[in-house]
Amino acid sequence: MIRFVPRERTPVWLSLAVSIGAGCAALLLTMIPLALSGAPVFSAFALMAEGAAGSGFALAETLTRATPLIFTGLAAAVAFRAKLWNIGAEGQLYAGALAAVAIGAGAITAPPYLLVPLVLIGAAAAGAMLLLLPVLFKTRFGADEVVVTLLMNFVVLLFVQMMLEGPMKDEMALGWPQSAPLVDEATLPKLFEGLRLHSGLILALACAVGLHVFITRTVWGFRIRAVGENARAARYAGLPVGLSMALVGAISGGLAGLAGASEVAGLKGYLTADLSPGFGYAGIVVATLANLSPLGVVPAAIFVAGVFVGADSMSRAIGVSNYLADLVVSFALLCVLVGGLVTRFRIVYVRRSAA
Amino acid sequence: MHPDPRPLVLSLAGITKRFGPLVANDAIDLDVRAGEIVALLGENGAGKTTLMSILFGHYVADEGEVFVAGADGRLAPLPGGSAEAALQAGIGMVHQHFALAENLTGLENILLGTMPLWKLSLGRRAARARIEALMVESGLQADIDTPVGRLSVGEQQRIEILKALYRNVRVLILDEPTAVLTPQEADGLFATVRRLAEKGLAVIFISHKLHEVLALCERVVVLRGGAKVADRPTAGADRAMLAELMIGRAIPARERVPGAPGAAVLRLAGVYVGRPGERDRLEHAGLEVRSGEIVGIAGVSGNGQGALAALVAGLAAARAGRVEIAGEAVTGADPLARLRAGVGRIPEDRHRDGTIGGLTIAENYVLETIGAPENQRGGLVRRAEIRARASAAIKAYDVRCPGPDAAIRSLSGGNMQKVVLARVLERAPKLVLAHQPTRGLDIGATTDVHRRLLAARARGAGVLLISEDLDELFALSDRIAVIHAGHLSAAMPTDGLDVRTVGLMMAGHGLEDAA
């Protein structure tokens, strides 16, 4: 018989092992449908690995893909730490992208060292504003933020589509619903000649480190952790519960907004309604894989990005659908959730007595 | 001595259970006869819970066996590791925290788990008849048609006992049953338990309240550090003796020393808190707590203690009337403002309000003062500084823990309360709010809390002690006020005050005259 005994503390190595183990287990589980579809399992995986990290180009593609996932993963991690269930990173990403275009597509003329920060700040502010509303509803009226943030994703996406069909439509784009391109002064510089990898990655890494320091070392980080663990006791102790929640909302929404700005200003150059293939939702998976640790978000985002990029390349080579990537990521999420059992409980085997 | 003629119904033989190097139960023997009320006495961590968990199949003993009498009266070994087997053998337990589904009625809760899954109807009519017969037989009256969430705690407990009786238990284990009851309800429970025992039910009564053990039980088994240190009739035993057996050293009897009151640190005049319809409210309350004295508030739970505590702690604001702390008028509900005014608050529920389980001991220690310069510099937490001070507090308050970085949820209730005390008292508050400060604590920890409160008084703090334990109030308070239905009596000097008078006032008699 097996019994689960709650752990007092989870050692760091164990959380790490569970995350890595979940990734490996997900790849193993994916072998089953892969084999059933008649594909050569091992060469498929080899192709996937090659496609994700087999060359400098592949690696750069993976890191490019990981950049928005780091932002949205951080957005989910900081919010979930405070038990603010922000499911709206997708909408906040688009709000950020929209703000980036509004500022950077010619409305303001300024040198890059002014315009780039302005674009980023504007995008973060837009994302933050979008999440502050549900936080206000939650703290004032007790409205469930899961429902509000989730539904706002659709509202924002429709709003973006309206803007792209109307006021922000690029007249030069031959009728395609897309915004005018950002001016050169507003774009994030590329990191290497001839690769798509851009300096948004550096910003994302800086955000991860900054968030880690913020949560573990600062007074406001302390307050946020306290409120997330036990809001009642935090209020009793005189901590500013509402303000802490608002701060979490601003940070989380701001990070998601930066994801949008980084995609527009670093990669695409203009805004379309299919800017994000679900980066906002994938951020939740990334944060969960990372066990809500800001530093852990970076490898988790690279893993998820690698799976997607690798699966794309593999499907081109041997004709297996690239939906396989979704499968791997879904399996990884499930495995981490099961692994959560191990981090929260010690598993004890109880031998039945002879009687 | 005549051998006891009553048949054995339960026999634990040489039960040993180890958790790593810790021996939680060390070769414990325990026999229980039909119709016997046996007390299982011991401090937190003495091994009571482990022993009962083995009996219930939650743990399997490393050594030893459990024998239960079958229908024919013959003892047979109980298979370990199976709660189902224990239930079938007629062992029932009423836990301190009830296992009731709050949205179901009493009837449904009693039936829960007794019906085969494939049966479509619950057979309510037959069941109701049986439960009603049980209620008459046992004297346990309860409303079984209302969702139990709306019943009083005493009534919920009666339903828990009925649930056990409905399953034909022959051994009933009551785990700290009076912790949630008023003195009157506890007396009612004891009468019921005696009646059930007369009908042949064996009762194991787990407690650390000595006067209850002496009043109710005929035999007492004392556990200490995992071993059985005594198994004797209660006749001829007294509280001092049992206390000494339980903690292994003599507890010095403490004479109440009067305090030296000074200026008022808390003054309420005509204060109203909460809406008139609520039970937990204050109606035109007046009270004064002076520095250097302890003022006790007696009352049956839910008569306005919560409102009074919330007002002083800063969670609630007065609807009308004047509240002064240390001579300054306070308004509004702001815990931080109360802290700044010099109020130290020991909340009633340390898990819910007093500590944050996932944070470390050191972090909980600075929870109220994290913004203060000694804990942060430029918005950065001074971690080394905080750890050092938390380590000192752990030593000074004798908190048993692995260190300042351990999660506070891993501590026992007594040690958790010590951390709260350290946090509250280290700031030398002018007014200490102690709301049920010893609820759920064992004797050792309780003595410690009392010592700390008296030390705070000696230092010149005024202490507002809200408690449901009259012994505690009489032992510590310089003056006692009684609260009933939101009305607060005048505070009466403890010297010359009679427990009976206070008891009557708690029931609402004569409160108007006193006020």
Side-chain angles (χ1 to χ4, degrees):
Chain A
M1 199 173 69
I2 298 175
R3 287 177 45 81
F4 296 102
V5 184
R7 278 178 195 278
E8 287 162 2
R9 260 200 111 83
T10 308
V12 177
W13 65 264
L14 187 70
S15 311
L16 223 78
V18 163
S19 293
I20 294 170
C24 298
L27 292 173
L28 285 176
L29 283 171
T30 317
M31 286 182 178
I32 299 169
L34 207 55
L36 288 178
S37 73
V41 174
F42 289 100
S43 64
F45 273 116
L47 283 168
M48 242 175 101
E50 206 186 312
S55 64
F57 176 78
L59 203 59
E61 275 304 296
T62 296
L63 292 177
T64 308
R65 189 73 172 250
T67 302
L69 289 176
I70 295 174
F71 282 117
T72 55
L74 292 174
V78 66
F80 290 6
R81 276 250 177 148
K83 301 219 165 60
L84 175 70
W85 307 112
N86 173 21
I87 315 295
E90 187 79 359
Q92 291 140 23
L93 181 150
Y94 273 105
L98 202 62
V101 171
I103 296 168
I108 299 171
T109 315
Y113 60 85
L114 281 181
L115 197 53
V116 168
L118 212 57
V119 163
L120 295 175
I121 290 167
M129 295 296 278
L130 199 62
L131 186 50
L132 279 176
L133 202 67
V135 172
L136 193 72
F137 284 1
K138 177 190 167 83
T139 48
R140 273 290 139 80
F141 313 115
D144 182 33
E145 75 274 21
V146 172
V147 176
V148 179
T149 54
L150 181 65
L151 293 182
M152 275 172 73
N153 287 341
F154 303 102
V155 176
V156 173
L157 195 58
L158 286 170
F159 181 74
V160 166
Q161 284 172 355
M162 183 190 84
M163 295 305 278
L164 294 180
E165 296 281 4
M168 293 180 86
K169 186 170 184 174
D170 182 10
E171 298 305 333
M172 314 292 286
L174 307 170
W176 290 101
Q178 66 185 48
S179 76
L182 293 193
V183 296
D184 283 347
E185 289 81 11
T187 51
L188 292 168
K190 297 272 183 258
L191 287 181
F192 301 101
E193 194 62 39
L195 293 176
R196 300 207 300 163
L197 193 58
H198 57 90
S199 42
L201 178 67
I202 308 297
L203 184 66
L205 295 178
C207 283
V209 174
L211 192 62
H212 172 76
V213 171
F214 174 77
I215 286 182
T216 56
R217 299 295 164 96
T218 68
V219 170
W220 276 105
F222 178 95
R223 289 175 176 146
I224 286 170
R225 281 187 294 134
V227 170
E229 286 274 350
N230 182 348
R232 237 191 112 112
R235 170 159 162 66
Y236 193 94
L239 299 183
V241 175
L243 216 53
S244 301
M245 276 312 220
L247 184 62
V248 169
I251 293 172
S252 174
L255 285 164
L258 281 180
S262 151
E263 284 299 278
V264 168
L267 194 63
K268 299 282 166 65
Y270 53 85
L271 174 60
T272 58
D274 59 358
L275 176 74
S276 158
F279 288 136
Y281 302 106
I284 296 169
V285 180
V286 168
T288 311
L289 281 175
N291 199 17
L292 306 188
S293 143
L295 293 182
V297 159
V298 174
I302 293 172
F303 170 75
V304 171
V307 168
F308 274 103
V309 171
D312 272 348
S313 133
M314 176 208 65
S315 79
R316 280 194 296 273
I318 55 172
V320 173
S321 162
N322 62 358
Y323 283 129
L324 196 67
D326 290 307
L327 206 60
V328 176
V329 171
S330 313
F331 273 136
L333 182 62
L334 289 176
C335 291
V336 156
L337 293 179
V338 172
L341 213 61
V342 188
T343 53
R344 277 181 292 124
F345 298 94
R346 271 186 309 125
I347 298 175
V348 180
Y349 294 93
V350 181
R351 251 172 294 144
R352 273 177 189 276
S353 66
Chain B
M1 289 287 282
H2 299 287
D4 199 322
R6 295 174 296 186
L8 272 178
V9 286
L10 178 69
S11 175
L12 280 72
I15 299 289
T16 297
K17 178 72 188 171
R18 294 182 199 88
F19 296 103
L22 178 80
V23 184
N25 283 163
D26 188 4
I28 293 179
D29 298 319
L30 174 65
D31 289 342
V32 184
R33 294 174 183 279
E36 196 179 25
I37 308 176
V38 180
L40 188 59
L41 190 65
E43 291 205 290
N44 291 339
K48 295 173 297 187
T49 310
T50 307
L51 192 64
M52 291 303 118
S53 299
I54 288 168
L55 186 51
F56 262 89
H58 297 320
Y59 292 136
V60 176
D62 296 328
E63 284 158 37
E65 266 208 272
V66 180
F67 297 92
V68 187
D72 54 357
R74 288 231 307 267
L75 289 179
L78 181 74
S82 162
E84 209 174 319
L87 286 171
Q88 263 176 8
I91 301 170
M93 182 155 178
V94 176
H95 291 270
Q96 194 179 347
H97 303 284
F98 302 144
L100 294 170
E102 298 210 330
N103 53 346
L104 298 185
T105 66
L107 178 71
E108 288 160 345
N109 266 291
I110 292 169
L111 291 186
L112 207 63
T114 64
M115 309 301 293
L117 279 176
W118 57 85
K119 273 227 174 147
L120 288 177
S121 89
L122 287 169
R124 281 164 194 268
R125 195 170 309 176
R128 179 185 297 277
R130 243 198 88 197
I131 293 167
E132 276 166 0
L134 278 175
M135 285 203 269
V136 171
E137 199 183 327
S138 64
L140 287 163
Q141 287 302 322
D143 177 354
I144 56 169
D145 295 312
T146 304
V148 295
R150 282 196 239 143
L151 300 179
S152 73
V153 177
E155 213 160 359
Q156 293 187 10
Q157 188 176 57
R158 293 199 282 278
I159 288 189
E160 276 278 18
I161 298 174
L162 282 169
K163 197 164 99 182
L165 296 179
Y166 185 80
R167 293 168 190 216
N168 294 320
V169 294
R170 275 167 302 164
V171 181
L172 179 64
I173 303 164
L174 299 171
D175 183 13
E176 302 274 1
T178 60
V180 293
L181 300 183
T182 66
Q184 292 90 327
E185 284 177 317
D187 286 343
L189 173 70
F190 291 170
T192 305
V193 170
R194 283 195 201 97
R195 190 190 314 212
L196 291 170
E198 271 165 33
K199 292 183 192 298
L201 185 73
V203 178
I204 300 178
F205 181 81
I206 302 176
S207 180
H208 59 251
K209 289 190 187 164
L210 302 171
H211 61 272
E212 292 178 352
V213 167
L214 290 170
L216 179 67
C217 306
E218 54 185 284
R219 193 154 63 86
V220 54
V221 172
V222 185
L223 299 187
R224 186 173 79 228
K228 188 164 91 170
V229 292
D231 185 345
R232 54 158 297 153
T234 46
D238 62 34
R239 287 167 68 165
M241 172 203 249
L242 291 182
E244 201 175 325
L245 281 171
M246 203 161 111
I247 65 169
R249 60 187 154 88
I251 298 250
R254 196 185 297 278
E255 279 289 299
R256 208 175 58 73
V257 185
V265 289
L266 173 71
R267 187 179 285 138
L268 308 183
V271 169
Y272 289 78
V273 175
R275 282 186 299 278
E278 284 173 302
R279 192 165 165 71
D280 196 354
R281 68 183 196 279
L282 286 184
E283 291 269 311
H284 200 77
L287 181 71
E288 191 175 88
V289 178
R290 291 167 293 176
S291 77
E293 73 166 348
I294 298 180
V295 175
I297 305 291
V300 176
S301 170
N303 271 289
Q305 293 98 324
L308 177 61
L311 175 72
V312 177
L315 295 176
R319 188 158 51 83
R322 186 171 170 80
V323 182
E324 278 177 30
I325 290 171
E328 304 274 328
V330 297
T331 53
D334 184 351
L336 200 58
R338 298 289 197 280
L339 281 167
R340 292 203 177 118
V343 186
R345 298 111 14 99
I346 303 169
E348 177 184 22
D349 188 329
R350 51 188 161 268
H351 296 274
R352 194 187 62 191
D353 297 322
T355 59
I356 294 184
L359 299 190
T360 66
I361 294 172
E363 287 171 328
N364 273 284
Y365 176 64
V366 296
L367 197 58
E368 291 176 343
T369 50
I370 189 63
E374 72 263 27
N375 293 328
Q376 57 108 8
R377 189 180 285 153
L380 290 180
V381 174
R382 299 172 69 177
R383 298 208 297 182
E385 166 76 19
I386 289 172
R387 280 191 78 239
R389 272 188 297 116
S391 298
I394 285 170
K395 207 174 236 174
Y397 284 77
D398 189 28
V399 182
R400 311 279 166 82
C401 65
D405 296 328
I408 200 161
R409 83 157 66 88
S410 66
L411 300 190
S412 71
N415 284 311
M416 207 181 263
Q417 191 73 325
K418 285 179 187 170
V419 177
V420 173
L421 282 174
R423 178 174 80 207
V424 168
L425 298 178
E426 291 287 275
R427 306 180 71 200
K430 295 184 191 124
L431 170 67
V432 176
L433 165 70
H435 192 187
Q436 299 263 40
T438 58
R439 173 186 258 181
L441 301 188
D442 56 47
I443 290 193
T446 298
T447 316
D448 209 65
V449 171
H450 289 171
R451 200 162 53 83
R452 297 282 175 190
L453 291 178
L454 289 169
R457 182 189 73 168
R459 205 204 66 235
V463 180
L464 179 63
L465 173 65
I466 304 176
S467 177
E468 283 158 32
D469 184 344
L470 284 178
D471 293 345
E472 177 170 86
L473 287 170
F474 273 83
L476 295 178
S477 310
D478 296 294
R479 295 185 295 143
I480 293 178
V482 180
I483 196 164
H484 177 261
H487 294 278
L488 196 57
S489 81
M492 303 158 285
T494 310
D495 292 319
L497 191 61
D498 178 24
V499 180
R500 246 182 65 80
T501 316
V502 173
L504 282 173
M505 288 170 77
M506 281 164 66
H509 297 292
L511 195 59
E512 281 68 33
D513 310 341

